Amino acid sequence: MLNYKIILNLIPIKKGGGQQVATNFISVLHKERCFGYSFMFLVTKNTHIEGVLQSFGFKNIISVENSITERLKFEHFKLNKIVEKFNANVVFTMFGPGLPKLKIPAVVGSAYSNIFYPEIDFWSEYSLVKRIKLKIIDHYRLKRTLDANGIIFENRSMLNRAVRLFNYPADQTVFIPPSISLQAKELAQLIDQPNVERVKPGFNILILSGWHKNKNIEKIPLILNELKPYGVKVNFILTVNANLPESAAFLKEAQKLGVEDNIVFYGQVKPQEVKSLFNKVDALMLLSLLESFSNNIIECWTFKTPLIISDLEWAREICNDAAIYVPRDEPKIIAEKIFDLIENKQCYNEVVKKGEAALVNYPTPTQKVKLQLDFLLNLVPSE
């Protein structure tokens, strides 16, 4: 077996869900002794990912200051020299915009769903100045993604759109679904950790997300208002920070409609609380406009919880029949669907079973890393 030399670019991963994905990848490399290959890691200085690499004893780590200026200087003036000195065969940007053109093949893992849906005004709810800035960033992300020699997608809809709308070569793409997280599997074995005081009696719906306009959390008071005539006790459990301005505005709207008692600001969820929280809720709702993928989906299926999700192309591509679909901007219809789920136990159990069955289509973390590496190395020219 050839000793391929791979540069893993983790610089864009500074926070968010990408950290867990990168941690899983690094954990697999450590466990499998890098599959016999040599790796160099590019990271942002003083990030969780840098710490993870160091904790596993990896040595080939290059840290870049957390500054756009330093990052650009690194990419344009230092990176080519590093590639030559390491004698790298391929570079893989796991998430985020790819790197400038290099003398070796470059692969990008695409997680920016909105760049492949140009017909959707993803930033419409932001101010004009903010929209202009975000659209410039999107243009940059799209260009860097399409400049790559290969793209790994977690969603077939995005892959098909890249080929159809942007003429990206189909043979330079691959669909690799997310893995069933190492963390999710470990958490499934944890002893339940009671936290009853923050979850109320009734039908509890979890919103496992921070504040982001894409998530449509602002619709919850309107949904609760539409649920009033049904005479059912429904609560929404939010994992957002209750002290943020968005939370204050949200609560004010709920008070106007008289539904504030049906909202619980649970706060940040610690890893050891995830299983406990899922055991205390009856459903999870994800009303995103766009997602590449969401760990919420696999967590729902893993912890046998019904998923209520936006009735949109990206969601149906991922979930098929393993979710309950709702029009994300129609509180009245969403309320009807929630009531149906409460009343129809057969429907409730059926969607849980379909979620469990869907998990068989997802690789283990080791299988996923192997699929990614195989795709990377297939792009390396034969000597």
Side-chain angles (χ1 to χ4, degrees):
M1 181 177 67
L2 291 173
N3 180 23
Y4 287 105
K5 295 188 174 182
I6 302 165
I7 294 180
L8 186 61
N9 176 27
L10 303 172
I11 293 172
I13 303 176
K14 298 189 270 291
K15 59 182 180 179
Q19 292 180 111
Q20 186 58 48
V21 177
T23 298
N24 284 350
F25 192 101
I26 294 163
S27 300
V28 169
L29 290 185
H30 180 259
K31 176 181 146 191
E32 300 294 334
R33 298 181 180 273
C34 293
F35 298 91
Y37 307 134
S38 298
F39 279 83
M40 174 173 284
F41 303 92
L42 312 180
V43 298
T44 296
K45 195 171 184 178
N46 298 324
T47 55
H48 172 73
I49 296 304
E50 183 184 39
V52 170
L53 286 164
Q54 291 169 345
S55 71
F56 279 119
F58 287 105
K59 302 298 182 187
N60 260 359
I61 305 169
I62 295 179
S63 302
V64 180
E65 293 289 343
N66 190 8
S67 150
I68 186 65
T69 305
E70 291 302 314
R71 179 170 163 178
L72 289 173
K73 280 166 59 178
F74 174 79
E75 290 180 353
H76 291 281
F77 301 110
K78 297 180 181 179
L79 185 55
N80 270 310
K81 292 177 183 177
I82 290 169
V83 168
E84 288 180 13
K85 187 173 181 181
F86 186 56
N87 197 24
N89 300 106
V90 64
V91 59
F92 177 31
T93 300
M94 186 172 290
F95 283 121
L99 294 164
K101 287 280 189 181
L102 299 167
K103 294 178 182 178
I104 59 172
V107 175
V108 170
S110 181
Y112 298 125
S113 56
N114 62 300
I115 64 177
F116 294 105
Y117 291 79
E119 76 276 16
I120 295 176
D121 190 357
F122 189 69
W123 308 112
S124 61
E125 295 186 35
Y126 290 83
S127 68
L128 177 61
V129 173
K130 182 77 169 173
R131 284 203 308 274
I132 292 170
K133 179 181 177 182
L134 290 168
K135 287 185 177 182
I136 291 170
I137 293 171
D138 281 346
H139 177 77
Y140 162 78
R141 288 172 171 173
L142 179 62
K143 184 180 185 307
R144 281 287 184 94
T145 300
L146 297 177
D147 279 347
N149 302 97
I151 309 176
I152 297 174
F153 290 95
E154 292 184 329
N155 187 310
R156 286 190 192 276
S157 170
M158 288 168 58
L159 185 157
N160 293 335
R161 282 169 164 268
V163 173
R164 188 176 77 250
L165 300 180
F166 301 102
N167 298 314
Y168 195 85
D171 62 353
Q172 291 173 221
T173 67
V174 67
F175 165 67
I176 301 176
S179 61
I180 301 170
S181 168
L182 289 172
Q183 187 184 55
K185 282 196 161 186
E186 290 162 3
L187 292 175
Q189 308 303 318
L190 287 177
I191 297 171
D192 193 26
Q193 311 245 342
N195 204 354
V196 181
E197 70 276 7
R198 286 194 279 174
V199 178
K200 297 184 177 183
F203 190 87
N204 289 295
I205 301 174
L206 177 63
I207 306 290
L208 191 56
S209 167
W211 283 113
H212 192 295
K213 291 184 185 297
N214 176 49
K215 305 294 184 179
N216 217 21
I217 298 173
E218 293 84 357
K219 289 287 190 298
I220 290 172
L222 299 173
I223 296 167
L224 285 168
N225 192 48
E226 294 290 351
L227 279 163
K228 286 179 181 177
Y230 292 102
V232 291
K233 174 72 170 172
V234 176
N235 307 305
F236 279 90
I237 315 301
L238 278 66
T239 60
V240 298
N241 184 339
N243 298 318
L244 294 175
E246 295 93 333
S247 299
F250 176 88
L251 190 56
K252 188 175 180 181
E253 181 63 24
Q255 289 167 341
K256 281 183 189 176
L257 297 171
V259 295
E260 69 274 17
D261 290 340
N262 301 92
I263 293 166
V264 176
F265 286 103
Y266 188 92
Q268 186 175 3
V269 183
K270 297 175 183 176
Q272 65 269 26
E273 289 183 337
V274 172
K275 181 176 185 287
S276 174
L277 183 54
F278 266 95
N279 283 347
K280 290 179 175 63
V281 301
D282 302 283
L284 183 139
M285 182 176 284
L286 183 64
L287 295 181
S288 301
L289 176 60
L290 283 173
E291 298 275 358
S292 167
F293 196 86
S294 171
N295 287 339
N296 285 186
I297 295 170
I298 284 187
E299 286 166 346
C300 254
W301 295 340
T302 301
F303 297 121
K304 303 178 184 178
T305 304
L307 172 63
I308 302 168
I309 198 166
S310 305
D311 190 0
L312 294 170
E313 179 185 330
W314 68 266
R316 286 191 175 272
E317 180 61 48
I318 296 168
C319 301
N320 296 305
D321 59 356
I324 294 164
Y325 295 97
V326 295
R328 68 188 295 271
D329 291 319
E330 299 288 344
K332 185 177 179 65
I333 299 176
I334 296 172
E336 288 173 6
K337 291 277 192 176
I338 292 170
F339 180 71
D340 288 345
L341 186 61
I342 294 170
E343 292 294 299
N344 190 338
K345 295 301 177 188
Q346 184 177 349
C347 171
Y348 186 100
N349 293 331
E350 188 66 23
V351 76
V352 168
K353 285 180 182 176
K354 287 177 177 175
E356 287 185 86
L359 286 173
V360 302
N361 298 316
Y362 289 81
T364 65
T366 300
Q367 289 169 336
K368 179 183 175 182
V369 172
K370 189 69 171 66
L371 289 169
Q372 290 170 312
L373 294 179
D374 287 346
F375 178 70
L376 297 181
L377 299 179
N378 280 338
L379 294 174
V380 176
S382 302
E383 293 185 0

